[in-house]
Amino acid sequence: MEIVLAESLGFCMGVKRAVDMAYKALEKSDGQQIVTLGPLIHNTQEIDRLKKDGIEEADYDAIPANSTVIIRAHGVAPQAYQDLKSRGLKVMDGTCPYVHYSQRKARELHEEGYTVVIAGDKSHPEIVGILGYIDNQAYVVKTLEDARALPFLERVGTIAQTTISPWKYRAIIDILREKSAEVKVCETICDATEENQKAVRELSGEVDLLYVIGGRHSANSNKLVEAAREKCPRAMLIETADEIDLRDLEGVSRVGISAGASTPDWMIQTVVLMLRELDSTRSAAG
Ligand code: SF4
């Protein structure tokens, strides 16, 4: 049985970078405690691994003294960053470069006198962080209805949450154009999750069965399964290698693998190893 990995799968660059940063900090820690400000990633198994290795998650108000704090990929408001430093903590900034770009763009728009409109969810940590760069002086619109409800604005500058759908951002911009004299658009959507989607679509037409490795509640993993099923009806979601059922592999000569944006490489490897093992057991029996 041939095992084929999608060309793009698993961790996005931003999350990978933050996790690597945490492990580098641990290596150099000299006994100091390493904590992450909130969960570094939405994957239970990876969070357990981090904990086991000594990288704990902490709330903003409960960070142990003298520890090293890793800012996760979503970023934080500059005030929060300064506050952590003034508490004498060592701060390592794992903010994704794409999110840094959004923060910079928001500040530029604000300084140039535009009314900033952010397409996204105002309770999402990424947006909370961006708002901190412009003293919360922005409208945040989550839906097209929110955009329609805005007053007439003279000069508007737009930012999008990095993970919103490009379609939705376009639709919000169109609404703003109808009610504003000038709209300056900043392209801040990240295509990391789109790349995984594109790759799974390509692979799904070439395999008999396809496993997407990811959390049951992970929206992007479920979207990968949906995309794969267009051409491969036998695409399915698994959280761990233990869920692979030998009966599913009957008659399968090519199996594809994809993984959600919060699935670490080591979990992908475990699935590959399990499939190899099951395949050799099957060959030996047959
Ligand atoms: S902006 Fe993109 S690359 Fe960065 S953390 Fe978010 S999804 Fe990952």
Side-chain angles (χ1 to χ4, degrees):
M1 182 174 68
E2 195 183 347
I3 302 164
V4 195
L5 297 187
E7 273 206 11
S8 167
L9 77 169
F11 272 10
C12 64
M13 172 275 291
V15 170
K16 193 170 186 328
R17 191 172 159 273
V19 172
D20 287 350
M21 192 175 278
Y23 274 99
K24 274 196 195 114
L26 185 67
E27 255 173 53
K28 295 189 193 148
S29 72
D30 211 10
Q32 232 173 6
Q33 195 163 351
I34 311 294
V35 297
T36 67
L37 196 54
L40 214 47
I41 182 164
H42 295 290
N43 178 292
T44 322
Q45 290 83 3
E46 180 69 353
I47 290 285
D48 287 347
R49 182 179 78 121
L50 287 161
K51 251 192 209 152
K52 201 166 97 309
D53 290 343
I55 301 166
E56 295 273 350
E57 177 192 326
D59 285 340
Y60 189 76
D61 296 319
I63 301 169
N66 302 319
S67 52
T68 298
V69 187
I70 314 288
I71 307 277
R72 60 187 170 167
H74 297 314
V76 291
Q79 299 82 352
Y81 190 88
Q82 284 314 324
D83 177 57
L84 293 170
K85 290 211 122 187
S86 65
R87 285 197 236 164
L89 299 161
K90 186 171 175 206
V91 185
M92 293 182 78
D93 189 2
T95 307
C96 174
Y98 290 127
V99 177
H100 265 315
Y101 178 76
S102 299
Q103 295 167 341
R104 266 204 318 277
K105 283 289 156 191
R107 186 175 260 173
E108 273 170 33
L109 289 172
H110 184 59
E111 285 171 359
E112 287 166 14
Y114 287 95
T115 300
V116 179
V117 175
I118 305 175
D121 177 352
K122 68 170 183 286
S123 61
H124 191 283
E126 176 187 320
I127 304 304
V128 175
I130 292 172
L131 284 168
Y133 279 78
I134 48 176
D135 298 325
N136 291 315
Q137 299 292 304
Y139 290 100
V140 183
V141 294
K142 191 176 179 186
T143 63
L144 305 192
E145 286 68 41
D146 292 345
R148 284 191 200 104
L150 290 179
F152 177 84
L153 300 162
E154 194 61 39
R155 296 172 75 222
V156 170
T158 68
I159 300 279
Q161 187 172 327
T162 50
T163 46
I164 77 161
S165 95
W167 173 87
K168 196 174 187 186
Y169 190 33
R170 289 290 135 218
I172 287 173
I173 290 164
D174 286 346
I175 294 169
L176 292 172
R177 285 207 168 109
E178 280 169 20
K179 52 166 65 198
S180 310
E182 183 194 343
V183 180
K184 183 169 177 180
V185 175
C186 295
E187 299 295 349
T188 54
I189 294 182
C190 147
D191 57 9
T193 43
E194 276 302 304
E195 277 174 27
N196 285 1
Q197 287 265 336
K198 204 170 139 231
V200 86
R201 270 205 185 88
E202 275 166 21
L203 180 62
S204 61
E206 302 162 10
V207 292
D208 309 307
L209 172 78
L210 195 145
Y211 288 117
V212 174
I213 314 159
R216 293 250 177 275
H217 303 293
S218 148
N220 84 82
S221 302
N222 281 297
K223 272 193 209 153
L224 288 173
V225 178
E226 240 172 72
R229 282 202 182 135
E230 286 168 19
K231 289 192 199 143
C232 179
R234 291 171 75 184
M236 63 181 89
L237 184 75
I238 52 170
E239 281 203 343
T240 65
D242 298 335
E243 291 176 33
I244 297 173
D245 188 332
L246 194 52
R247 284 167 299 186
D248 289 331
L249 297 170
E250 262 167 42
V252 170
S253 56
R254 282 193 108 205
V255 57
I257 295 179
S258 172
S262 302
T263 305
D265 287 353
W266 64 266
M267 283 186 70
I268 300 170
Q269 287 313 318
T270 320
V271 169
V272 172
L273 286 176
M274 174 70 96
L275 284 171
R276 284 203 187 120
E277 237 172 70
L278 289 174
D279 189 40
S280 43
T281 316
R282 195 172 62 161
S283 310

